[in-house]
Every structure is written in C-alpha cells, then in structure tokens.
C-alpha cells in the first residue's frame, strides 16, 4: 500500500563553489562505471543516484552502503554522484540525469504540487538531522527563531530543505518569510566561512559542519533537530527527511531493481543500528574526517538518533511534513496533496522480511 519544497540573494562570490571535501566525496563516489542508466534488471544493473552532499552525515547511508558492499551483493552497479544541496539532487532526478535522488522527503510534496510524480521508496530518517547555529557575533541578539527578523540566514541552497525548515521556524515564531534574507552558502567550509565573516548571522546545517563549528568556537547551537525529540519540539512531530526518492513511473517499471536498492539500504540501516559511531566512521572515506577522526566520529554519534532501523516511513511523518510546508509555502497551502502518492512502504516492508 502506498502512502506515501524554495527567494533571496546569493552569498558572496565563491561561497557556492564546491568545497574540496565535496569534491573528494564525489571522486570517491564515482568509482563505479559511468553508464548511461539502467540496463535491465539482472546482475550488474547500473543505477545512478544523485546525493545532496555525499559527505553530509544525514546522507551517510548512501556512501556507507557502497563501502559495505551491499550494492554489489544485490547485483547492482550503483554510481553515486554529489551535489551540495538537495534541491540540486532533485533537479537531476526530474531532468532524467539520474534514476534516484538521496535527499529530503519533503521534495516529493513540493514536486507533486508542481505536477511531478515522485515518491520516497526507503526512508532513512524520522528527524531532520538539521541544526540552526548562530554566529558568535550575533549570539547575544539572536537567541531564538523569534529574532530572525532582519537577519541573514544561511541555507545550503535556495529552495532546499534547509530553506524550507528555516522558513517554518520563522513563521512559527511570528516572523514572515519576507522579513529575513535566506543566503545560499552550501555546507562545510563555505558555510563556516560565511558564519565567521559575517555574511550570515545564523544558518541551518548538518554534521560534520556542526561539529566543526563548535570545535572552532565559530558559533553555538540555537535549534537542534538531530533527534526525534528535537524534531518533536521544533516541528511538532516526526519529520522524515533523508530518503531515496525516485520518479513514480520509473519505480513502477523497475520494481525488481528498486527492491534490490531498498534491500541494500535497509541492510545498511540495520548495520548502523548495531555498530558504534567509531565503527561507522572507520568505514567511510578517509577524506570525510578532514584529518580529525575523533571529531568526525563525534559528528556521527550526534546524528545517529535521526536514522530509522527498517527504512519504513514513520507514522504521522508525512502529515508533519505537509503541515510544515503549508505554514509558509502558498503553492502547497492552496493545493490538495495526495500524501499516499509521495511514498511507498512496499519495498521496505519486503526488505524487513
């Protein structure tokens, strides 16, 4: 049964350039053969998946599944590609450049109201894994989302899920979306530089960027949504975020391949639930730790609570996402969203058996 989001100025020149870390992630991911797409449903089936930042801990299951050999074990030849923000992964999917996208589930609702049929086939998480951090310079003035008015707030990309969540936090706390300026600053070094240089007063990002900011004392945590409890407090319920989503027509035409992909990802989620953050860090590409293995392991540990163990959409998760989007997105607010068409539990449930 099937049950089954993006106004403002860009950051200073250079902030949107891909960081060396992301480049390393992309290089590591592209070890698979660069085929033109899927070639049948048999052994060695080629699938291209775009990830909204391979080095981000919230999307860790993508690279970890490859490193654990689970794609190979399912007879899949998966090529992982990387973009700095989920909205770019979404664009790659709907344009047909890739067969799947690892990004936030909320894109499926946003795309539906734009006439695109896309669905999550395996849900990695039941919390956003996102953190709103405020710069040391602004921390005395920005003490909650109520202080967003007149501020420059960093997001990975305009129209990204960090953009969506920032707008929701603002509106929920009495600040209209036209009363602050979202600034696209990516993640990692570009985000940190924007925070330190004053290009942004605060911003939303994920680990390992959060861990690095705290270690550098470049900012402090304002809102923490890395756990189900943090999601409940900030958003009022479970917020399914990172997932593998695909175009519905493609899913229906390649069910065997989709099942193999989901089987591989669910194996990884189970593995993650029985291993320590240090064990997980040891499996990831060496470049991801940026020379500090302990800090990287700590970043993983802080984010682990966001992940599901079975890949199944959490109960009431889609409803929370719809409510969040309707709070600030006129297109979604004025549309009747068919939540049942934005995700499926068919494949994850089979994988669980």
């Amino acid at each position: 049964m099937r049950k089954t989001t993006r106004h403002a100025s860009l950051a200073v020149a250079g902030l949107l350039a891909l960081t060396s870390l992301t480049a390393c992630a992309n290089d590591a991911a592209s070890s698979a053969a660069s085929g033109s797409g899927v070639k049948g449903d048999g052994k060695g089936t080629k699938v291209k998946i775009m990830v909204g930042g391979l080095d981000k801990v919230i999307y860790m299951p993508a690279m970890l599944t490859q490193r654990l050999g689970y794609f190979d074990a399912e007879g899949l030849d998966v090529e992982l590609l990387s973009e700095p923000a989920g909205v770019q992964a979404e664009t790659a999917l709907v344009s047909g450049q890739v067969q799947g996208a690892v990004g936030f589930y909320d894109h499926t609702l946003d795309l539906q109201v734009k006439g695109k049929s896309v669905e999550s086939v395996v849900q990695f998480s039941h919390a956003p894994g996102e953190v709103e951090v405020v710069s040391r310079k602004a921390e005395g003035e920005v003490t909650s989302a109520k202080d967003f008015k007149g501020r420059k707030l960093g997001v990975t990309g305009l129209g990204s899920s960090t953009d969506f969540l920032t707008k929701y936090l603002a509106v929920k706390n009495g600040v209209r979306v036209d009363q602050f300026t979202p600034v696209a600053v990516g993640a990692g070094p570009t985000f940190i530089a924007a925070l330190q240089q004053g290009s942004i007063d605060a911003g939303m990002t994920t680990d390992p960027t959060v861990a690095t900011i705290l270690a550098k004392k470049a900012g402090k945590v304002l809102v923490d949504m890395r756990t189900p409890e943090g999601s409940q407090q900030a958003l009022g319920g479970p917020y399914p975020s990172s997932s593998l989503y695909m175009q519905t027509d493609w899913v229906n035409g390649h069910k065997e391949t989709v099942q193999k992909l989901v089987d591989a990802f669910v194996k990884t989620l189970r593995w993650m639930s029985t291993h320590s953050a240090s064990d997980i860090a040891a499996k990831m590409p060496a470049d991801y730790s940026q020379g500090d293995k302990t800090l990287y392991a700590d970043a993983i540990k802080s984010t682990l609570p966001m992940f599901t163990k079975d890949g199944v959409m959490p109960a009431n998760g889609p409803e929370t996402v719809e409510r969040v989007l309707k709070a600030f997105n006129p297109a979604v607010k004025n549309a009747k969203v068919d939540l049942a068409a934005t995700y499926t539990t068919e494949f994850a449930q089979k994988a669980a058996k």
Side-chain angles (χ1 to χ4, degrees):
M1 173 177 164
R2 292 183 184 271
K3 297 204 180 262
T4 316
T5 7
R6 296 192 174 302
H7 155 77
S9 64
L10 295 174
V12 292
L15 282 179
L16 283 179
L18 286 176
T19 69
S20 58
L21 176 58
T22 303
C24 290
N26 214 354
D27 291 343
S30 300
S31 57
S34 56
S36 59
V38 171
K39 297 182 179 179
D41 275 339
K43 184 175 177 58
T45 299
K46 292 182 179 296
V47 183
K48 288 184 178 182
I49 298 176
M50 185 66 78
V51 185
L54 263 170
D55 54 307
K56 296 177 184 177
V57 178
I58 57 170
Y59 299 143
M60 185 170 59
M63 178 56 77
L64 185 56
T65 301
Q66 188 178 73
R67 303 283 287 192
L68 290 172
Y70 291 160
F71 290 137
D72 290 341
E74 293 293 334
L76 298 171
D77 182 3
V78 174
E79 181 178 8
L80 297 175
L81 305 169
S82 187
E83 287 283 5
V87 62
Q88 290 150 321
E90 169 197 295
T91 300
L93 177 69
V94 298
S95 66
Q97 298 175 48
V98 296
Q99 288 74 51
V102 169
F104 270 38
Y105 161 70
D106 53 21
H107 292 291
T108 67
L109 281 73
D110 184 51
L111 286 168
Q112 186 184 108
V113 301
K114 295 175 180 176
K116 305 291 183 180
S117 184
V118 173
E119 62 188 56
S120 164
V121 298
V122 57
Q123 197 62 46
F124 299 158
S125 60
H126 46 195
E130 301 281 353
V131 178
E132 183 75 19
V133 294
V134 59
S135 71
R136 285 297 180 186
K137 181 180 179 180
E139 65 177 76
E141 299 173 344
V142 181
T143 61
S144 75
K146 294 179 181 179
D147 301 318
F148 282 178
K149 185 176 180 180
R151 297 294 175 176
K152 295 174 291 184
L153 305 177
V155 296
T156 54
L158 302 181
S160 67
S161 295
T162 53
D163 192 13
F164 294 165
L165 289 171
T166 300
K167 288 176 178 175
Y168 175 75
L169 291 177
V171 170
K172 179 187 176 184
N173 287 277
V175 181
R176 300 193 313 268
V177 295
D178 63 349
Q179 291 181 313
F180 67 91
T181 304
V183 184
V185 291
T190 55
F191 185 100
I192 297 170
L195 200 67
Q196 292 175 318
Q197 296 168 5
S199 300
I200 58 175
D201 301 302
M204 190 170 294
T205 190
T206 61
D207 278 310
T209 307
V210 177
T212 304
I213 289 170
L214 297 180
K216 289 176 175 288
K217 302 186 184 305
K220 62 181 292 185
V221 173
L222 199 64
V223 181
D224 193 338
M225 297 179 285
R226 290 176 290 188
T227 67
E229 295 79 12
S231 178
Q232 179 71 41
Q233 183 176 355
L235 306 173
Y239 197 91
S241 55
S242 27
S243 66
L244 171 66
Y245 62 88
M246 314 178 91
Q247 297 203 57
T248 299
D249 286 346
W250 198 93
V251 172
N252 292 336
H254 302 83
K255 286 201 170 187
E256 185 179 343
T257 296
V258 176
Q259 187 64 63
K260 290 178 179 180
L261 284 166
V262 176
D263 286 349
F265 279 125
V266 171
K267 286 180 184 177
T268 298
L269 291 170
R270 287 176 179 161
W271 188 93
M272 288 167 59
S273 72
T274 60
H275 288 74
S276 69
S278 295
D279 290 337
I280 297 171
K283 288 290 184 179
M284 300 300 283
D287 290 332
Y288 283 22
S289 68
Q290 291 186 284
D292 193 330
K293 294 181 180 180
T294 300
L295 184 65
Y296 183 56
D298 286 346
I300 292 175
K301 184 177 181 179
S302 296
T303 304
L304 274 179
M306 72 173 280
F307 294 106
T308 68
K309 297 179 181 179
D310 56 10
V312 176
M313 177 65 74
N316 302 317
E319 289 81 4
T320 302
V321 173
E322 181 182 28
R323 177 174 50 76
V324 166
L325 296 182
K326 282 182 177 293
F328 67 86
N329 188 323
V332 178
K333 183 177 182 178
N334 299 321
K336 181 174 176 53
V337 179
D338 182 5
L339 289 179
T342 61
Y343 73 98
T344 175
T345 60
E346 172 188 350
F347 303 101
Q349 288 176 337
K350 286 183 179 178
K353 298 177 182 178

